[in-house]
Amino acid sequence: MAQHTLFGWHAVTTLLERHPERVRSLKLQQGREDGRQKRVRQLADDFGVAVEQCQRRVLDEASDGGNHQGVVAVIKPPVALGEDELLERLETPDHPPFILLLDGVTDPHNLGACLRTADAAGVDAVVVPKDHSAPLNGVAMKVASGAAESVPLVRVTNLARFMRRCQEQGIWFTGTSDAAEAGIHDLDLTGPMALVMGAEGKGMRRLTREHCDQLGHLPMAGLVSSLNVSVAAGVCLFEARRQRTIASAAHGA
């Protein structure tokens, strides 16, 4: 079985604080003694996690050349949430479901950034296809800065079928496309919804786009024609968050 690692101070500290039972051991860089290392060592001691002082090259190898910042944790992988389990959770929620669906995002950096933004925007789950999608590896988890522990990442075998099942539960799919006539700010993003983002360059696959209930584009005022997928996801998710907050306040009034 492949060894799962997590690196970077924020990501490792967050996991120790939230799920210390998943941390098998820690490697810390020799010759470093600062506040972040002391905090991690204290958490490790509190929960009985073995700590080893190592030379930097050992950490470089353990993180496969990633920017470990002086800390690498050997961890148990997160428990995967299946498609059926997610649909059960969304069936009787205490708020309108809010999902981010990524179609063809293969860069771990982008996956991690999307998870981090999804957590900040209050998304219930991030859904990706099993094939042609970035792995949730150490790089993605470091970029996510702890969000990989709070936002479920659900891999589905058939994206179009998953979308149809969600639609049967009343979830509305909003896709992003440069060819869409309406701007994302002109669309209704309240209620049970899923935002669909495609890969950079190619965008959504045809079948995914055809299963969307509405499409919107991001108005671009400058010379560039598109944004990084994680940046575009952030713009759209926080527009949805804005609309949903207003709608919730109006309903409460």
Side-chain angles (χ1 to χ4, degrees):
M1 182 181 294
Q3 179 172 279
H4 293 266
T5 58
L6 178 67
F7 47 86
W9 293 110
H10 189 83
V12 172
T13 302
T14 299
L15 186 60
L16 280 168
E17 290 174 340
R18 296 182 180 178
H19 301 286
E21 72 284 354
R22 287 187 44 218
V23 183
R24 298 181 184 273
S25 62
L26 284 177
K27 290 180 171 62
L28 299 177
Q29 185 172 326
Q30 288 178 345
R32 177 170 184 153
E33 194 68 28
D34 57 25
R36 290 186 295 185
Q37 186 174 106
K38 289 179 180 178
R39 172 62 176 161
V40 164
R41 285 195 68 98
Q42 183 61 58
L43 288 169
D45 291 342
D46 290 345
F47 296 107
V49 177
V51 178
E52 180 184 1
Q53 295 282 344
C54 303
Q55 295 181 0
R56 183 184 178 89
R57 61 175 177 79
V58 175
L59 299 180
D60 291 341
E61 293 173 1
S63 62
D64 196 23
N67 182 19
H68 52 73
Q69 300 176 312
V71 59
V72 177
V74 177
I75 66 171
K76 299 176 184 177
V79 177
L81 184 66
E83 177 179 337
D84 291 339
E85 294 171 290
L86 174 60
L87 289 169
E88 287 179 11
R89 288 190 185 187
L90 299 177
E91 200 166 12
T92 55
D94 56 2
H95 62 275
F98 189 20
I99 302 170
L100 173 62
L101 192 153
L102 303 175
D103 184 20
V105 175
T106 57
D107 184 345
H109 291 88
N110 281 335
L111 176 60
C114 285
L115 282 166
R116 184 173 183 174
T117 302
D119 174 78
V123 167
D124 297 308
V126 174
V127 177
V128 298
K130 284 187 176 179
D131 298 325
H132 306 296
S133 179
L136 185 60
N137 57 18
V139 172
M141 294 178 72
K142 178 181 182 297
V143 175
S145 295
E149 309 304 324
S150 59
V151 181
L153 179 67
V154 182
R155 297 186 183 274
V156 300
T157 303
N158 187 309
L159 211 55
R161 182 187 66 189
F162 171 77
M163 294 173 75
R164 289 194 298 271
R165 294 182 69 186
C166 286
Q167 287 166 329
E168 290 171 0
Q169 291 186 199
I171 296 174
W172 192 267
F173 281 83
T174 297
T176 50
S177 171
D178 293 340
E181 293 185 5
I184 196 71
H185 304 287
D186 301 319
L187 301 179
D188 183 357
L189 304 178
T190 61
M193 71 153 289
L195 174 69
V196 186
M197 306 294 303
E200 289 183 65
K202 296 181 180 179
M204 292 180 290
R205 289 175 292 177
R206 177 187 57 81
L207 194 57
T208 304
R209 183 171 59 253
E210 291 176 354
H211 278 77
C212 290
D213 298 290
Q214 61 181 357
L215 296 173
H217 70 267
L218 273 68
M220 305 294 289
L223 297 177
V224 297
S225 59
S226 64
L227 297 174
N228 173 278
V229 64
S230 62
V231 175
V235 173
C236 296
L237 288 175
F238 276 93
E239 170 59 18
R241 179 82 272 148
R242 183 189 69 82
Q243 291 188 23
R244 296 163 81 83
T245 299
I246 293 173
S248 178
H251 181 74

